[in-house]
């Protein structure tokens, strides 16, 4: 039975989600403040965290960063903040997913199930594959049945970053920062062009990618 840490200072929402999680056969840990959340996480090592950012004592992003520094479990942010910059900030700070309030409980629990299916430790595959191509980021080669395919240095940088986080979202801002530097963080069109190029070269059906996935408005994900 997976143990879920539920962090929210709204007693009604806390109780409602607690009942719904238990009905789905989860064990539930609760916290109504940031400090309590950090204490419970340290003592109990939950399998996943549902974290509200609007906490009464600590900044929710600071709590998120502290949880991520000591916890490998997936963290799903629950927030009434709908600004895309807030979503990006949370994902860059270690969140695995971001759900805005009010939300559909069925969608939230589907996202929780998906997060729990992902590997806990982000370990790069030795020889990841995209379609028919075996990727070796150490030697920068992508070999398929018809021989190697040539990727540009920037394509390699993007691909290496995605492959290092299998099954997890990497925000567009993070990729832009890592590949082009901090001054390029708003130049999303750069990224779209290069990801499209990677798909044309590696995906069996670039129009319907199976491995290099776009998370609309947020970033990209490598799906093994």
């Amino acid at each position: 039975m997976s143990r879920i840490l539920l962090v929210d200072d709204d007693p009604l929402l806390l109780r409602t989600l607690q009942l719904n999680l238990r009905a789905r056969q989860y064990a539930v840990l609760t916290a109504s403040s940031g400090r309590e959340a950090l204490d419970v996480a340290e003592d109990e090592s939950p399998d996943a965290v549902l974290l509200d950012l609007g906490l009464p004592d600590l900044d929710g992003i600071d709590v998120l960063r502290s949880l991520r520094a000591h916890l490998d479990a997936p963290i799903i942010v629950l927030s009434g903040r709908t600004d895309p910059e807030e979503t990006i900030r949370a994902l860059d700070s270690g969140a695995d997913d971001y759900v805005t309030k009010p939300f559909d409980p069925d969608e939230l629990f589907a996202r929780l199930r998906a997060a729990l299916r992902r590997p806990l430790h982000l370990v790069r595959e030795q020889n990841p594959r995209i379609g028919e191509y075996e990727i070796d980021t150490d030697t920068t080669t992508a070999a398929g049945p018809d021989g190697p395919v040539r990727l540009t240095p920037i394509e390699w940088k993007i691909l290496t970053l995605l492959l290092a986080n299998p099954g997890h979202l990497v925000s567009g801002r993070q990729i832009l920062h890592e590949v082009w530097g901090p001054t390029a963080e708003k130049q999303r069109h750069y990224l779209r062009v290069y990801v499209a190029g990677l798909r044309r070269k590696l995906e069996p059906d670039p129009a319907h990618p199976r491995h290099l996935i776009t998370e609309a408005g947020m970033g990209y994900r490598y799906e093994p």
Side-chain angles (χ1 to χ4, degrees):
M1 181 183 292
S2 296
R3 295 187 303 165
I4 312 302
L5 172 56
L6 177 57
V7 186
D8 202 299
D9 67 334
D10 181 338
L12 179 59
L13 182 59
L14 197 69
R15 179 64 176 163
T16 300
L17 288 176
Q18 185 177 25
L19 290 173
N20 275 273
L21 286 164
R22 286 177 174 166
R24 289 167 170 80
Q25 306 304 309
Y26 294 108
V28 184
L29 307 164
T30 62
S32 56
S33 70
R35 289 186 179 86
E36 186 181 5
L38 295 175
D39 288 342
V40 173
E42 182 176 356
D43 293 340
E44 302 292 342
S45 297
D47 297 300
V49 181
L50 301 180
L51 173 66
D52 177 34
L53 291 183
L55 299 172
D57 57 341
L58 300 175
D59 181 88
I61 292 293
D62 290 339
V63 174
L64 170 59
R65 289 173 178 151
S66 295
L67 287 169
R68 177 51 68 220
H70 301 96
L71 196 66
D72 286 327
I75 301 172
I76 300 176
V77 163
L78 310 177
S79 178
R81 306 170 188 174
T82 58
D83 186 342
E85 289 298 317
E86 286 295 326
T87 304
I88 292 168
R89 185 169 171 238
L91 294 169
D92 283 345
S93 298
D96 294 89
D97 205 345
Y98 190 102
V99 177
T100 55
K101 298 178 179 179
F103 50 78
D104 182 330
D106 288 336
E107 179 184 352
L108 172 62
F109 297 130
R111 289 174 180 264
L112 176 60
R113 290 192 298 272
L116 287 167
R117 287 195 297 267
R118 295 170 189 160
L120 290 180
H121 300 281
L122 301 183
V123 179
R124 191 184 70 186
E125 297 174 82
Q126 289 300 310
N127 295 293
R129 298 189 69 86
I130 297 178
E132 296 183 322
Y133 292 93
E134 184 174 287
I135 312 297
D136 188 332
T137 55
D138 293 326
T139 61
T140 59
T141 57
D146 298 323
V149 62
R150 181 185 176 279
L151 302 182
T152 69
I154 287 179
E155 287 173 337
W156 273 115
K157 289 180 180 179
I158 296 170
L159 186 59
T160 298
L161 191 56
L162 294 175
L163 293 177
N165 296 274
H168 284 246
L169 175 71
V170 182
S171 73
R173 187 167 70 172
Q174 180 182 349
I175 299 173
L176 287 165
H177 185 280
E178 294 284 344
V179 175
W180 284 281
T183 60
E185 288 184 3
K186 294 186 178 180
Q187 306 299 320
R188 301 282 176 125
H189 60 283
Y190 289 169
L191 195 47
R192 288 194 292 269
V193 169
Y194 279 97
V195 171
L198 282 169
R199 287 176 177 151
R200 284 196 301 272
K201 294 176 180 180
L202 300 175
E203 288 274 9
D205 183 357
H208 302 91
R210 294 181 55 234
H211 302 283
L212 303 176
I213 309 299
T214 298
E215 296 285 357
M218 294 188 289
Y220 298 89
R221 171 170 49 87
Y222 162 61
E223 196 62 47

